[in-house]
Amino acid sequence: MIKVASKEPIVFKNRKDAGKQLLNLIKQETKGLNKDNAVVIALPRGGVPVAYEISSSLQVPLDLSIPRKIGAQNNPEYAIGAVSEHGEAFINDELLAYSHSSREYVKNEIEKQRLESQRRQQVYKKNRKPIDYKEKTVIIVDGMYNNNNNNNNNNNNNNNNNNNNNNNNNSNN
C-alpha cells in the first residue's frame, strides 16, 4: 500500500493541480507499473477530477466507487459508518453507542444508503461494464479538503477584530 504523506501540507491550486502533483508522487512509487494491470478508482465528488488527471496520465482505466455515509439517527451529518453499493457496511461501534442510534435505524439506513449508492452507480456509469479489480494494482483517489473557507473566515474575523479595536481606541480619545 502506498500512502502519500508529508510533514508539511501539500498545497494545491485546485483539483486538477492536485492530480498532477499527486501523479508525480505516484509515478515515483509505482515504477514499472503494468498499465494493463492497473486501475484508478475515484470517490465522487472531489476525487473524480483528481483521479481523472492521474488515470489519463498513467493511461489506465478510471472507475468509480460510491460509498455512502451512515449518519447518526439524530444527526445525519455525524458519520457513524459507511456502506458500499454491494452492501458491505462498516459501523464504528463506539460512535454508534455515543450517537444513541438504534440498531433498527442503522439497519434501515444501511439499506437506504446502499440503494442510493446503486442508483448513483447507474446514473454515473450508465451501461459501462464493471471493471474487474482482481489481481490489479488499484489506486484509490478521494477528494481533498479545502481549507480556503477557514482561512477566509479567519482573515475576516481578524479584520473585524482589528476594526473593533480601532473603533474602541477612537471612542476612548
Side-chain angles (χ1 to χ4, degrees):
M1 174 182 268
I2 299 167
K3 291 186 180 179
V4 177
S6 172
K7 289 182 182 179
E8 296 298 319
I10 302 172
V11 179
F12 307 118
K13 293 177 193 168
N14 52 38
R15 288 185 168 101
K16 185 174 182 176
D17 179 54
K20 289 179 180 179
Q21 286 191 51
L22 291 171
L23 175 65
N24 292 330
L25 296 169
I26 290 168
K27 280 182 176 178
Q28 291 171 13
E29 296 292 331
T30 59
K31 288 187 170 110
L33 177 71
N34 180 350
K35 294 178 183 181
D36 295 330
N37 238 5
V39 62
V40 174
I41 301 174
L43 291 129
R45 294 174 299 203
V48 175
V50 179
Y52 175 79
E53 291 298 321
I54 294 168
S55 70
S56 295
S57 296
L58 292 176
Q59 298 176 334
V60 299
L62 173 63
D63 201 5
L64 295 175
S65 179
I66 308 174
R68 297 286 297 164
K69 170 178 63 181
I70 303 300
Q73 190 166 356
N74 295 317
N75 184 357
E77 291 303 311
Y78 181 70
I80 59 173
V83 65
S84 76
E85 65 271 16
H86 304 293
E88 296 97 353
F90 168 80
I91 302 296
N92 183 311
D93 289 329
E94 287 181 48
L95 298 178
L96 175 63
Y98 181 77
S99 73
H100 303 292
S101 299
S102 71
R103 293 277 177 187
E104 185 66 24
Y105 163 81
V106 171
K107 178 182 169 189
N108 292 336
E109 192 65 13
I110 286 171
E111 182 60 14
K112 175 183 166 187
Q113 295 305 329
R114 181 188 66 79
L115 292 172
E116 177 59 16
S117 178
Q118 285 181 339
R119 185 194 71 77
R120 289 182 185 207
Q121 286 277 351
Q122 291 173 347
V123 168
Y124 297 158
K125 290 182 163 187
K126 307 241 184 276
N127 294 323
R128 288 187 301 164
K129 292 180 182 176
I131 296 174
D132 182 13
Y133 304 149
K134 191 174 185 179
E135 302 296 321
K136 296 212 187 258
T137 299
V138 176
I139 301 168
I140 300 173
V141 182
D142 198 353
M144 60 185 199
Y145 174 71
N146 181 349
N147 200 20
N148 289 341
N149 291 337
N150 289 343
N151 288 339
N152 289 340
N153 288 340
N154 288 340
N155 289 339
N156 288 339
N157 288 340
N158 289 340
N159 289 339
N160 289 340
N161 288 340
N162 289 339
N163 289 339
N164 288 340
N165 288 340
N166 288 339
N167 289 340
N168 287 340
N169 290 340
N170 290 338
S171 64
N172 290 336
N173 291 338

